[in-house]
Amino acid sequence: MSHTRAYRDGKIVGDGFPLDQVSDYLENGDCFVWVDFESPTQKDLEKVADELNLHELAIEDALVPGQRPKIDRYENFLFVTVYDTTFDGESGDLVTSEVKAFVTRRAVVTIHDASFDIELVRKHWDDNKDLIDHGVPYLLWGLLDAIVDRQYQVADQLDDQIDGLEDGMFDPKPQTMDVQRRSFTLRRSLVELRRIVTPMREVLNTLLRRDDMNTTKGMGPYYQDVYDHVLRVTEQTDSLRDLVSTILDTNLSIQSNRMNLVMKKVTSWAAIIAVPTAVTGYFGQNVMFPWYGTGLGFAVSSAAIVVLGVILYLQFKRRDWL
Amino acid sequence: MSHTRAYRDGKIVGDGFPLDQVSDYLENGDCFVWVDFESPTQKDLEKVADELNLHELAIEDALVPGQRPKIDRYENFLFVTVYDTTFDGESGDLVTSEVKAFVTRRAVVTIHDASFDIELVRKHWDDNKDLIDHGVPYLLWGLLDAIVDRQYQVADQLDDQIDGLEDGMFDPKPQTMDVQRRSFTLRRSLVELRRIVTPMREVLNTLLRRDDMNTTKGMGPYYQDVYDHVLRVTEQTDSLRDLVSTILDTNLSIQSNRMNLVMKKVTSWAAIIAVPTAVTGYFGQNVMFPWYGTGLGFAVSSAAIVVLGVILYLQFKRRDWL
Amino acid sequence: MSHTRAYRDGKIVGDGFPLDQVSDYLENGDCFVWVDFESPTQKDLEKVADELNLHELAIEDALVPGQRPKIDRYENFLFVTVYDTTFDGESGDLVTSEVKAFVTRRAVVTIHDASFDIELVRKHWDDNKDLIDHGVPYLLWGLLDAIVDRQYQVADQLDDQIDGLEDGMFDPKPQTMDVQRRSFTLRRSLVELRRIVTPMREVLNTLLRRDDMNTTKGMGPYYQDVYDHVLRVTEQTDSLRDLVSTILDTNLSIQSNRMNLVMKKVTSWAAIIAVPTAVTGYFGQNVMFPWYGTGLGFAVSSAAIVVLGVILYLQFKRRDWL
Amino acid sequence: MSHTRAYRDGKIVGDGFPLDQVSDYLENGDCFVWVDFESPTQKDLEKVADELNLHELAIEDALVPGQRPKIDRYENFLFVTVYDTTFDGESGDLVTSEVKAFVTRRAVVTIHDASFDIELVRKHWDDNKDLIDHGVPYLLWGLLDAIVDRQYQVADQLDDQIDGLEDGMFDPKPQTMDVQRRSFTLRRSLVELRRIVTPMREVLNTLLRRDDMNTTKGMGPYYQDVYDHVLRVTEQTDSLRDLVSTILDTNLSIQSNRMNLVMKKVTSWAAIIAVPTAVTGYFGQNVMFPWYGTGLGFAVSSAAIVVLGVILYLQFKRRDWL
Amino acid sequence: MSHTRAYRDGKIVGDGFPLDQVSDYLENGDCFVWVDFESPTQKDLEKVADELNLHELAIEDALVPGQRPKIDRYENFLFVTVYDTTFDGESGDLVTSEVKAFVTRRAVVTIHDASFDIELVRKHWDDNKDLIDHGVPYLLWGLLDAIVDRQYQVADQLDDQIDGLEDGMFDPKPQTMDVQRRSFTLRRSLVELRRIVTPMREVLNTLLRRDDMNTTKGMGPYYQDVYDHVLRVTEQTDSLRDLVSTILDTNLSIQSNRMNLVMKKVTSWAAIIAVPTAVTGYFGQNVMFPWYGTGLGFAVSSAAIVVLGVILYLQFKRRDWL
């Protein structure tokens, strides 16, 4: 499945044309073209590769999943790999989807699989039609900005989830197992987000500092803006990571504290319950203790149980063990 | 809501004039102007943006909250984002408020919302009237110095709170839950303060090292002074972070220790109480033990209980278990 | 044991010839040669060393095991040390095997012991015959790419194992000892993998940035590709390391939680069982309590046991202690 | 309170003269002067500031406590802030005292409060009279060397204390609370020492690398020596920090281990004590068990108690639970 | 105590001559000299210092113990401080010994105390006589290579010890106290080794990159080889550090797990033992329960005890609590 588009003079002059017309548009000196492939086969890509003179290694990278977010600078084109992210609030899992692009001077080719909705990027381009005059830099910026915006949102969602965790942690009737599982999943999602976002810094940096192909020409501040967003997500991810590990530590400390309280209670009640057992044991002996077999004995025994029990109870209450 | 001010020859020559007079003052060659907006609309800013020739991206950043502390260098102006901080001693929470500024060669435009009292900055400017001759660098310095001073104070308040925590931790009757909650909140506040302060280093560094717009002209030592304060806050934040995590660790160790003491006490008392139970059980058997049913039996039983109890008690005392 | 091969004009012109013919091929201006040694003796290497003018220190490094992954740049050749890795899924252990190579302008000499199957590299070369024209850079690239691919696979295997650990951790009937042993072994394997992979970055960097011997000539993008893989493995190793330590922390917290639950259950059942003991103790006293020796007494006693037991049981159920 | 001194031709030509004679000495071309202030007022400093043409910002920094260790480079002078440290072996606390200095080409002005004994520095100068010819660099070196020596000593004292901690930790009768409190205080002191020493590296580096005021002229090796000491203290502080955190971790582990041992003992003794209770309970039943009410019954009961008790005791001994 | 040696034309031309002949050899243009001092006095060194024109500061550093590993570059000589290490396998302690050297263009002076056996270095020199032509660079290389080899061995010994720890940790009958003490000592030794090895990188780097005194002339690959060893030791130290801290964490987790198992056993046996107590309590009441005082009562009681005990035992077995 593929989408195509051609732009000239700030307008869309072709939309959804067949792949073999790409060369027609490119021969026309002031056109620039966008081609999108969803889960392409090697054959699909090779046609375009010939047209745009793309290196076979980049074609291979475009087909094999699991690239790291990066920008490879070839002689006549750039090869960009980024990751779209969504956050599944239910399970706490991060869902990622690889998006790759070839960027030449006059064309952008995007490649992704069905899990990524390219409409997101197209919409972002259409919302910023005033920048269309910048040509290919406009298309690349639109792609990166859309992707980074989504990472930004995911970081905010993780932030909210962690806020929820904090509240749950000091809850007097905590669902400890839940806090553990939840904080673990969030931590894992953060690790993954970090893996995706950290290399983005380098990607943007390469574009801004070593722009030998004019891929950011005239749009410097816009790319800088994307870079700022990437930095913010990275910093937020680091802070959240710090928070989650503080939550894990604090949680351990809270549990240890609860354990102490339980132990104190156990001790106290065990002591209180041991009293009647000791007393009735005493009065249950088959030896001639005073009041053996008399009602007075019963009164003494009962009184001893009650009095000793109450004294112990008050003692423990006073020491805050009960 | 907006404030305005115009300066010339080291004096305030206009105060609270309407926004459309800004251009009059700027046309006058040796004036410089300050404009403040509280929670402005896009329309409010666009008027000024036209006047000062500000880039639309910076306008957008000025309106959208959640920027990171940064300095964006455009061709003809700087866009600065910093965060004012206050510390709520009651809850241990850090309260932050975003302050943004456009800095051109002849004007400073500050933007913030109602949670930030711009009077703090105005007062700081008025307290340093001797520097007024430096023009826009004086205004920018005053803004940054006021903000960083507040961060400095917050770091000191956090320091005090952590001192309090330390004292509480070794308290023989600790409010453990309190220490946990408190240290967690402080840790979170530190994470947040760090997020705000760390990028400030870069902001000041950019101003000091790459001053292509003369924004620090003639005030180098003053900006260096602000930079020193930023460094000190950063270093202090790192130290405090280290301390809080030591407190969490130590607290865990203290709790574990208390648990050990409780366990020893439980064991000891359980053993002491088990003695009369065993003895009276012995003398309660329906078999023909010596002194069955005699007063002597009672004496022996009572003596056994007391003697064994005392021996155990002394043993445990000697081993420091009680 | 040794393999030999000679290439000319993109074809293999000699295969398996004796070592003393190496010089014949090299004298022929447009040949390049590969020699492989399995566990060579000093004498074996010295013959080749004379031929290729190799430094005695490099010969020594080639014979002594335990070099770090590195690239040593001599005047007329490079000496490369890398590690092949396989992962033993059963035991969770990482198995490593040292592979060394001398790289001159016209020859590549590989040295390894029996634990490394050089066929892996030969197959990789044969699979990429289209690059054969690049000469020695092609051979070196093939060697590094084959090795790094294997490290890549090991990192993925470790990833899978850690996923398995996560699932096991929240299992309601966990094999805790297993999780501990497993996570420890994985952590150790990660530490080892890191030790092998981290210096690889420097190796590739040296080849790409300081290529004074033309060892990457014409194959820049291919070496860049290997470098990207190295970076990905490094980043993945760091993430996994983070995950394993989160797993250890979470596991501790889960255990502590389980302990709390066990303690609560112990307390509850101890209290419930203490009731009949206290009641029957009461009715077992040799004093004249009401209903002494009567059937009514039996009924009262039995009723007291049942009623008190049920009340306690329900109380504990309500508080979620049972 | 102030001290003054003037040097010429390697000799002290004035000592304790009034402040207003400073200018007389300075007018004399080949004199250099030292002035010391203890807790000066603004007025005190302003007199000297006029004389030496010091910047008002530096004056302000000299009066306000809480500067970070730093070196500020003004056009015509340096402003140095360092911290003197002493270690209170009793409490484990670090005591710090701020020392500041203005360094011009011909004068050094030191500022401190009563907690710092300037005699330490004066003595250090007098002990190195052979260097007096170097002028101001000699004075600045003497100041820094004296201060860094003291930090060096404090690091060694902390080292000793931590050695003590280690010994205490494995003590069979540990004062756990003590170890915790002690290790916490030491950790705090280390954090503080780090905060003071780390920026000293930068201070010395600035003096050695960017010596545009000739403040180290002719004394390079001496300043390098101070720098080496600073590095050593920094490295030692890092190592100690590492050790203290290992001590905290190990201590937790030791406590947990002790807990396990206590638990095992509790279990064992509880089981042993439960035996007579069960046996006497059995023989205390009001049912017609064999040997009911006979001396043989007593013998059987007593034998059962002893035999079962001994068996259990030996079992537990064998498993190392007792 | 001192050793001396003079070399010319690749041969030893003087051995063990008195110190005052050193100048004779040096006046002879193509000699180079080695002098070794064991625990020298200031006077011993000053004689040589005059001869070789050594700076007094370096003399002082040579006499005062506790320098950090470093290289000080004076105008006409280098001053090197390194540490020899041995590992005491019994106690797990690291033993270090300071070795210092002055390196001029024609002489090497080594200084150490009795704990270092200079024969180790002399032997290393003699084993590499083929390099003798390189003069002073040969001597310095021999010294550094011998020292670094020893550090290399110590790192390997620590590696073995940590392997032993790992095995011990999962031992079903662990000597926990031992693991703790051992892992603590190893961690401390690692911290110390790190403190000694890390600055060695800088030492070798300075020699290789800033060789203004030709101290590595013609022996570049040999010094590079030493540098590789230093890097390997540093990397190994970091990995081991990581492993030891993983061991500490895992050990804590294992202990916590064992605690859980103990607790479960305690609970189970406590419940099982509570059954006869409850039953015999029931049948020991002085009320008219069915079968009061009959043999049938005895049978019922005994049966209840056995049946309930077995049921509980099987239940606990099934749930894996026993």
Side-chain angles (χ1 to χ4, degrees), chain C residues 156-170:
Chain C
D156 277 343
Q157 281 169 299
L158 283 167
D159 211 332
D160 289 348
Q161 294 267 335
I162 286 164
D163 272 358
L165 259 191
E166 290 173 24
D167 295 344
M169 190 167 55
F170 290 106

Side-chain angles (χ1 to χ4, degrees), chain E residues 175-209:
Chain E
Q175 303 294 90
T176 320
M177 203 61 184
D178 242 47
V179 171
Q180 285 166 342
R181 192 194 284 269
R182 203 87 193 144
S183 56
F184 178 74
T185 325
L186 287 174
R187 179 80 182 261
R188 200 183 47 196
S189 295
L190 277 169
V191 167
E192 226 167 309
L193 184 60
R194 211 177 136 77
R195 200 150 113 188
I196 284 169
V197 172
T198 311
M200 287 300 284
R201 270 196 312 210
E202 205 192 309
V203 168
L204 266 302
N205 234 327
T206 304
L207 282 174
L208 281 165
R209 309 262 170 275

Side-chain angles (χ1 to χ4, degrees), chain D residues 6-144:
Chain D
Y7 296 82
R8 183 167 45 201
D9 298 338
K11 269 183 236 124
I12 297 170
V13 294
D15 199 2
F17 48 84
L19 278 177
D20 43 24
Q21 289 181 22
V22 167
S23 47
D24 300 342
Y25 282 103
L26 286 179
E27 273 158 26
N28 181 328
D30 47 356
C31 258
F32 63 96
V33 172
W34 166 55
V35 182
D36 176 65
F37 286 103
E38 186 177 315
S39 314
T41 62
Q42 179 147 12
K43 221 182 263 176
D44 292 341
L45 284 186
E46 269 168 2
K47 256 187 287 176
V48 184
D50 282 353
E51 196 66 52
L52 299 175
N53 193 19
L54 304 177
H55 197 284
E56 59 168 312
L57 250 186
I59 297 295
E60 201 190 309
D61 275 1
L63 290 165
V64 178
Q67 304 297 316
R68 57 185 294 269
K70 63 169 179 179
I71 197 157
D72 284 341
R73 292 153 27 111
Y74 289 85
E75 220 173 314
N76 58 328
F77 70 98
L78 297 176
F79 176 65
V80 180
T81 309
V82 293
Y83 278 80
D84 179 57
T85 53
T86 41
F87 180 70
D88 180 345
E90 286 296 299
S91 68
D93 282 331
L94 198 76
V95 185
T96 64
S97 173
E98 213 170 343
V99 182
K100 290 148 177 185
F102 297 100
V103 182
T104 72
R105 281 175 208 274
R106 302 265 305 289
V108 169
V109 181
T110 50
I111 295 125
H112 56 92
D113 65 18
S115 67
F116 178 69
D117 182 8
I118 194 71
E119 277 312 300
L120 286 166
V121 178
R122 188 145 67 180
K123 197 173 166 311
H124 199 67
W125 279 329
D126 291 347
D127 286 353
N128 289 282
K129 278 206 168 129
D130 52 319
L131 298 171
I132 223 165
D133 280 334
H134 291 102
V136 161
Y138 152 72
L139 291 180
L140 178 57
W141 167 81
L143 171 64
L144 294 175

Side-chain angles (χ1 to χ4, degrees), chain B residues 168-188:
Chain B
M169 190 166 55
F170 290 105
D171 193 327
K173 273 195 180 183
Q175 304 294 90
T176 319
M177 204 61 184
D178 241 47
V179 171
Q180 286 165 340
R181 191 194 285 270
R182 203 88 194 142
S183 57
F184 178 73
T185 326
L186 287 175
R187 180 79 181 261
R188 202 183 47 196

Side-chain angles (χ1 to χ4, degrees), chain E residues 87-314:
Chain E
F87 180 71
D88 180 343
E90 286 296 298
S91 68
D93 281 331
L94 198 75
V95 185
T96 66
S97 174
E98 214 170 343
V99 182
K100 292 149 176 183
F102 297 101
V103 182
T104 71
R105 280 174 209 275
R106 303 263 307 287
V108 168
V109 181
T110 50
I111 296 126
H112 57 91
D113 63 19
S115 67
F116 178 70
D117 182 8
I118 194 71
E119 278 311 301
L120 284 167
V121 179
R122 189 145 66 181
K123 196 174 167 311
H124 200 67
W125 280 328
D126 292 347
D127 287 351
N128 290 280
K129 277 205 168 132
D130 51 319
L131 299 172
I132 223 166
D133 279 333
H134 292 102
V136 160
Y138 152 73
L139 292 178
L140 179 57
W141 167 81
L143 172 65
L144 294 176
D145 201 38
I147 294 286
V148 170
D149 262 10
R150 306 254 296 170
Q151 293 173 348
Y152 200 98
Q153 282 163 30
V154 165
D156 277 343
Q157 281 170 298
L158 284 166
D159 211 333
D160 289 348
Q161 294 268 334
I162 286 165
D163 272 356
L165 259 191
E166 291 173 24
D167 295 343
M169 190 167 54
F170 290 105
D171 194 326
K173 271 195 177 182
Q175 303 294 90
T176 320
M177 203 61 184
D178 242 47
V179 171
Q180 285 166 342
R181 192 194 284 269
R182 203 87 193 144
S183 56
F184 178 74
T185 325
L186 287 174
R187 179 80 182 261
R188 200 183 47 196
S189 295
L190 277 169
V191 167
E192 226 167 309
L193 184 60
R194 211 177 136 77
R195 200 150 113 188
I196 284 169
V197 172
T198 311
M200 287 300 284
R201 270 196 312 210
E202 205 192 309
V203 168
L204 266 302
N205 234 327
T206 304
L207 282 174
L208 281 165
R209 309 262 170 275
R210 299 166 55 195
D211 184 22
D212 43 7
M213 271 186 58
N214 292 332
T215 28
T216 67
K217 200 185 169 182
M219 291 191 68
Y222 292 88
Y223 279 91
Q224 180 67 42
D225 197 55
V226 179
Y227 185 52
D228 278 345
H229 283 124
V230 167
L231 287 184
R232 191 179 171 284
V233 178
T234 317
E235 284 165 10
Q236 199 171 2
T237 314
D238 285 347
S239 295
L240 292 178
R241 196 180 128 106
D242 206 343
L243 269 184
V244 173
S245 97
T246 307
I247 286 176
L248 272 175
D249 282 3
T250 306
N251 207 21
L252 200 61
S253 178
I254 290 175
Q255 279 177 33
S256 160
N257 190 30
R258 289 218 175 91
M259 186 79 164
N260 271 6
L261 295 180
V262 167
M263 286 304 297
K264 282 181 184 173
K265 266 203 181 138
V266 176
T267 320
S268 310
W269 283 116
I272 293 174
I273 286 170
V275 164
T277 310
V279 170
T280 60
Y282 195 84
F283 286 95
Q285 294 179 87
N286 292 323
V287 293
M288 197 48 62
F289 54 81
W291 316 294
Y292 179 93
T294 66
L296 188 58
F298 165 67
V300 170
S301 153
S302 300
I305 287 169
V306 171
V307 169
L308 289 173
V310 168
I311 287 175
L312 276 177
Y313 180 81
L314 292 177

Side-chain angles (χ1 to χ4, degrees), chain D residues 209-264:
Chain D
R209 308 263 171 276
R210 297 166 56 197
D211 185 22
D212 43 8
M213 272 185 57
N214 292 332
T215 27
T216 67
K217 201 186 169 182
M219 292 191 69
Y222 291 88
Y223 279 90
Q224 180 66 44
D225 197 56
V226 178
Y227 185 52
D228 278 345
H229 283 123
V230 168
L231 286 184
R232 192 179 172 284
V233 178
T234 317
E235 283 164 11
Q236 198 171 2
T237 312
D238 284 347
S239 295
L240 291 179
R241 197 180 126 106
D242 207 344
L243 269 183
V244 173
S245 96
T246 307
I247 287 176
L248 273 174
D249 282 4
T250 307
N251 207 21
L252 199 60
S253 177
I254 290 175
Q255 278 177 33
S256 159
N257 191 31
R258 290 217 175 92
M259 187 80 163
N260 271 4
L261 296 180
V262 166
M263 286 304 297
K264 281 181 183 172

Side-chain angles (χ1 to χ4, degrees), chain B residues 8-241:
Chain B
R8 183 167 47 200
D9 298 338
K11 267 183 236 124
I12 296 170
V13 294
D15 199 1
F17 49 83
L19 279 176
D20 44 22
Q21 289 181 20
V22 168
S23 49
D24 300 341
Y25 282 104
L26 287 179
E27 271 157 29
N28 180 328
D30 47 356
C31 258
F32 63 98
V33 171
W34 166 56
V35 182
D36 176 65
F37 288 103
E38 185 177 314
S39 315
T41 63
Q42 180 146 11
K43 222 184 261 174
D44 292 341
L45 284 187
E46 270 170 2
K47 257 188 288 174
V48 184
D50 281 352
E51 194 67 52
L52 299 175
N53 194 18
L54 306 177
H55 196 284
E56 58 167 312
L57 252 186
I59 297 296
E60 202 190 308
D61 275 3
L63 289 166
V64 178
Q67 304 298 316
R68 56 185 294 271
K70 63 171 178 177
I71 197 157
D72 284 342
R73 290 150 31 108
Y74 288 85
E75 220 173 312
N76 58 330
F77 69 98
L78 299 177
F79 176 65
V80 180
T81 309
V82 293
Y83 278 80
D84 179 57
T85 52
T86 42
F87 179 70
D88 180 343
E90 286 296 298
S91 67
D93 282 331
L94 198 74
V95 184
T96 65
S97 173
E98 213 171 342
V99 181
K100 293 149 175 183
F102 297 101
V103 182
T104 71
R105 281 175 208 276
R106 303 266 303 290
V108 169
V109 180
T110 50
I111 295 125
H112 56 92
D113 65 17
S115 66
F116 179 68
D117 183 8
I118 194 70
E119 277 312 300
L120 287 166
V121 179
R122 189 146 65 181
K123 196 174 168 312
H124 200 66
W125 280 329
D126 292 346
D127 287 352
N128 289 280
K129 279 204 167 131
D130 50 319
L131 298 171
I132 222 167
D133 279 335
H134 292 100
V136 160
Y138 152 72
L139 291 179
L140 179 58
W141 166 80
L143 171 65
L144 293 175
D145 201 39
I147 294 286
V148 170
D149 262 12
R150 306 255 296 170
Q151 294 173 346
Y152 199 99
Q153 282 163 29
V154 165
D156 278 343
Q157 281 170 297
L158 283 166
D159 211 333
D160 289 348
Q161 293 267 335
I162 286 163
D163 273 357
L165 260 191
E166 292 172 23
D167 295 344
M169 190 166 55
F170 290 105
D171 193 327
K173 273 195 180 183
Q175 304 294 90
T176 319
M177 204 61 184
D178 241 47
V179 171
Q180 286 165 340
R181 191 194 285 270
R182 203 88 194 142
S183 57
F184 178 73
T185 326
L186 287 175
R187 180 79 181 261
R188 202 183 47 196
S189 295
L190 277 169
V191 167
E192 227 168 309
L193 184 59
R194 211 177 136 77
R195 201 150 113 187
I196 285 169
V197 173
T198 311
M200 287 300 284
R201 271 197 309 212
E202 205 193 308
V203 168
L204 267 301
N205 234 327
T206 305
L207 282 175
L208 281 164
R209 307 265 170 272
R210 297 167 57 196
D211 184 23
D212 43 8
M213 271 186 56
N214 292 330
T215 27
T216 67
K217 200 184 168 183
M219 292 190 69
Y222 291 88
Y223 279 90
Q224 180 66 44
D225 197 55
V226 178
Y227 185 52
D228 279 345
H229 283 122
V230 167
L231 286 183
R232 192 179 172 284
V233 178
T234 317
E235 284 164 10
Q236 198 170 2
T237 312
D238 285 347
S239 296
L240 291 179
R241 197 180 127 107

